[in-house]
Amino acid sequence: GGINGRRLSYSVEDDEAAPELNAVGGRVLAQRDQALSILQFSVAAVGSAKSLESTGVPVVDGQITDPSLSPRSNVFGYSRPTVEEPASSGWGEFLANPGAQRAVTVSLELSSATRSMARAAEKSVRAAGLKVADNLQVPSGPFDADQFADQVRDSGADSLIAFVPAPNFYQIVAAVQDADLGLKAILGNPTSYDRSQLARVGDSAAGAYAFLDYTPFELSTPAHRRFLAAMAAYAPQAAALPDGTALIGWISADLLLRGIAAGGVCPTRAGALAGLRHQTHSDADGLLPAPINLSKGVSDIAPCYDYVQVTPDGKKFVLVPGKPRCGRILRAG
């Protein structure tokens, strides 16, 4: 429909998760295509970060995975990055609620982004009065489930928090469940909220949790219904089983468009930057657990999450009762 009478168009660049290609893609969009702003979903965003900031290109990043990005003056997002320092106590408090005392963190081998997230989780766990039993890593592909379960058992952990993609997470869940380790809580990140994965593992996934920085589909708000209707109309190939990744894209695009609209009738990069900073009480029409204030950047967003749990039959998620949980920001150091 456009903004202020002007039509919107877009170009796409794929960096293949490589910083050097991200630098090329950013340069193509900013210089060749003269993009007004960039919507980014990449673990390699550091490649173009310095160049885009120096040229004043507004960037809305769907999920900031590099700690060096959030302080940049041109980078925005709807959620406080999980790698942000200082960390939040929220995840540790969630694990402590069912009585956990020793947690193991899990990240991907050769992945600095997931390792940074796991380090933030370690601090969160300690802040909640729990001990970190071990820091484990798994490969990006299939792994020896028995060996992994033995590592968890040997650590003495009674809970687990993992920052890995959904297929890896549910391999982990099945491994520790089949080994009957009796963990009090198994917590995954937002990518774990993937209903297509449940069909692959069945009731081996029963009881696993995921934290979400957006309102889960199970609440079926009017905003969810608008999203689903738009998916059916414009992305029917993905509408059959919409997942959190698609919703993250929707919320991020919504934030960017609101920033452009607030920037004035004559669109400029400076205007879009100012418009994004003017988003001081935005909740994406109810799709966020709590309103965000971007006037001071993404690092100032409160770390609020909803939590979901896999049902005993392993077929669906249910919302964990209660208001969104907002942990306290820990002291730096």
Side-chain angles (χ1 to χ4, degrees), residues 289-320:
I292 61 172
N293 180 355
L294 288 179
S295 62
K296 297 180 181 179
V298 293
S299 61
D300 202 50
I301 296 175
C304 295
Y305 301 106
D306 278 316
Y307 288 78
V308 293
Q309 185 177 28
V310 179
T311 54
D313 60 8
K315 292 184 178 180
K316 61 181 181 179
F317 295 94
V318 292
L319 180 68
V320 176

Side-chain angles (χ1 to χ4, degrees), residues 1-325:
I3 294 177
N4 294 326
R6 297 176 183 268
R7 293 181 62 85
L8 293 166
S9 62
Y10 64 91
S11 301
V12 177
E13 291 292 322
D14 182 3
D15 66 11
E16 300 178 23
E20 59 273 18
L21 293 181
N22 181 269
V24 172
R27 186 164 57 249
V28 167
L29 293 172
Q31 297 178 15
R32 186 197 71 186
D33 296 347
Q34 290 294 299
L36 176 67
S37 53
I38 290 177
L39 188 63
Q40 182 164 246
F41 303 89
S42 174
V43 297
V46 67
S48 63
K50 184 176 181 179
S51 171
L52 294 178
E53 183 181 38
S54 65
T55 51
V57 180
V59 176
V60 171
D61 202 309
Q63 288 185 312
I64 297 173
T65 58
D66 190 302
S68 69
L69 297 181
S70 57
R72 295 192 179 275
S73 59
N74 66 320
V75 175
F76 301 86
Y78 73 87
S79 176
R80 189 174 193 271
T82 53
V83 293
E84 187 64 37
E85 292 288 350
S88 162
S89 65
W91 304 319
E93 292 169 358
F94 184 82
L95 294 178
N97 189 58
Q101 296 180 329
R102 293 171 56 85
V104 64
T105 66
V106 187
S107 57
L108 277 185
E109 293 177 354
L110 307 177
S111 169
S112 59
T114 62
R115 187 69 193 97
S116 295
M117 296 174 191
R119 282 195 294 268
E122 292 169 28
K123 296 177 182 178
S124 182
V125 163
R126 293 191 180 101
L130 282 68
K131 294 182 178 180
V132 177
D134 204 348
N135 314 115
L136 303 179
Q137 294 187 334
V138 296
S140 57
F143 60 89
D144 187 325
D146 293 337
Q147 183 183 46
F148 178 82
D150 287 342
Q151 288 179 299
V152 177
R153 181 185 290 107
D154 293 344
S155 75
D158 59 9
S159 56
L160 180 152
I161 178 169
F163 292 88
V164 297
N168 306 85
F169 178 69
Y170 287 107
Q171 288 180 64
I172 288 169
V173 174
V176 297
Q177 300 282 50
D178 292 345
D180 197 24
L181 300 186
L183 300 187
K184 295 181 182 296
I186 306 170
L187 178 60
N189 65 84
T191 64
S192 306
Y193 180 54
D194 185 333
R195 288 172 286 181
S196 66
Q197 290 296 319
L198 297 185
R200 301 183 180 185
V201 295
D203 59 8
S204 291
Y209 296 97
F211 70 87
L212 304 176
D213 52 12
Y214 51 83
T215 304
F217 286 100
E218 284 69 24
L219 285 178
S220 188
T221 68
H224 284 107
R225 293 193 287 274
R226 284 194 294 275
F227 163 76
L228 293 173
M231 288 284 286
Y234 298 105
Q237 72 280 4
L241 190 64
D243 60 17
T245 303
L247 193 60
I248 288 169
W250 172 274
I251 295 170
S252 301
D254 176 78
L255 176 60
L256 176 60
L257 299 181
R258 288 173 190 266
I260 293 173
V265 295
C266 295
T268 64
R269 290 172 175 174
L273 280 171
L276 284 163
R277 294 191 185 103
H278 287 153
Q279 304 306 305
T280 58
H281 198 267
S282 176
D283 68 352
D285 292 331
L287 289 176
L288 300 183
I292 61 172
N293 180 355
L294 288 179
S295 62
K296 297 180 181 179
V298 293
S299 61
D300 202 50
I301 296 175
C304 295
Y305 301 106
D306 278 316
Y307 288 78
V308 293
Q309 185 177 28
V310 179
T311 54
D313 60 8
K315 292 184 178 180
K316 61 181 181 179
F317 295 94
V318 292
L319 180 68
V320 176
K323 295 180 179 179
R325 293 160 172 81

